[in-house]
Amino acid sequence: MTIVKEITHYLEQLAPLSYQESYDNAGLIVGNTQTEVTGVLLTLDSTEAVVEEAIAKGCNLIVAHHPIVFKGLKKLNGRNYVERTIIKAIKNDIAIYAIHTNLDHVMGGVNSMIAERLQLQKVRVLAPKSDTLLKLVSFVPTEVTQAVLDALYEAGVGAIGNYDHCSFRVNGTGTFRPNEMANPFIGSAQKDEEVTENRIEVIFPAHLQGKVLNALKQAHPYEEVAYYISALQNLNQEVGAGAVGELPKAMTGDEFLTHLKDTMGLQMIRHTALVSDSIKKVAVCGGAGGFLLNDAIGANADVFVTADYKYHEFFDADGRILICDVGHYESEVYTKELLQRYLSKKFVNFATILSETNTNPVFYRS
């Protein structure tokens, strides 16, 4: 039996809720965390039609990219599509979970999926975030240092880009005196003690703090564990907005536009004038990514693929880069496949189904 909480916990390990933007509302929006899951329907948007599809297909959990609720609801009387969707879900015991800007901000998330479809290589975060990392310093007897570090590594510390088990240590002497109430691992009550110790330093994502401290205290032999945690302003190369990578080989502007249309399944592309005869480096951002234009230019990208550009914003390209607006829905619709890929590897006792409902509110006529 798999319950809703197990699935949401797994998704939040992939894309921690702390990585979402302040305006966002990712997480479990409707439903009981203890409900047994009969099936999961994966969608870009939660709508009434999607809830009806979930009912028809025996799925009692909808995992959507976009939250159906962004702002607080003061009434639930069915006056708009948001309220009607929520009412229908509650009446039919359908849970709704949203994984939005937190999935935008992790490697392996929405932007990595776009990069994958465009066949980009050497992909990295376009605009890494700061203030998401912490540093742990502790003092450990030399003979158990590796065991403590192994426990910390298991809890998620010491990962830097393509490297893990990263730490720093320096040897020194620790002093202490146990009182009469102490039960010391080394030493005796009311006697000064000196111990050869290693000062260890490791970094880790801030959202893992509780798990890391628990691992430290479980593995450390001392009754009282000395440690301190510092916030870091370092850019976290694994967390941030957008992505940038390189095509396997350079293309002309026309070749790239054809490639973009074919690989993303697009009906149309709104774009600025071609400014280069050679397209190699490509920046991407699912959804409304105009705020990353200067980052894309700063990364020396030849083209910036995103959505929701307004007329006057296209002028900001200013002959420095090719802007391609592929449409909001079109830029993120493959997120459904990404979620299915993750969930189907972890959970095999129920179906993960891609929604067949086209929730795109924008229509095109040629």
Side-chain angles (χ1 to χ4, degrees), residues 217-323:
K217 293 175 181 178
Q218 290 291 325
H220 203 294
Y222 287 177
E223 186 177 24
E224 299 289 347
V225 181
Y227 70 90
Y228 57 87
I229 291 177
S230 304
L232 301 179
Q233 293 184 331
N234 301 47
L235 293 176
N236 188 341
Q237 301 298 329
E238 300 297 312
V239 179
V244 61
E246 297 180 2
L247 293 164
K249 62 178 182 179
M251 299 180 180
T252 67
D254 286 334
E255 287 173 339
F256 176 78
L257 290 174
T258 299
H259 174 71
L260 177 61
K261 188 175 182 181
D262 291 344
T263 56
M264 297 294 288
L266 305 175
Q267 295 185 53
M268 62 173 291
I269 304 170
R270 299 165 65 229
H271 64 86
T272 55
L274 301 178
V275 295
S276 173
D277 293 331
S278 178
I279 303 292
K280 179 69 171 178
K281 183 174 284 189
V282 180
V284 304
C285 181
F291 68 100
L292 290 173
L293 177 62
N294 288 333
D295 294 282
I297 293 171
N300 295 316
D302 302 303
V303 59
F304 181 34
V305 178
T306 187
D308 293 352
Y309 252 79
K310 296 180 181 179
Y311 174 83
H312 290 286
E313 293 173 339
F314 280 102
F315 285 105
D316 295 335
D318 200 22
R320 298 173 294 175
I321 195 169
L322 170 64
I323 296 174

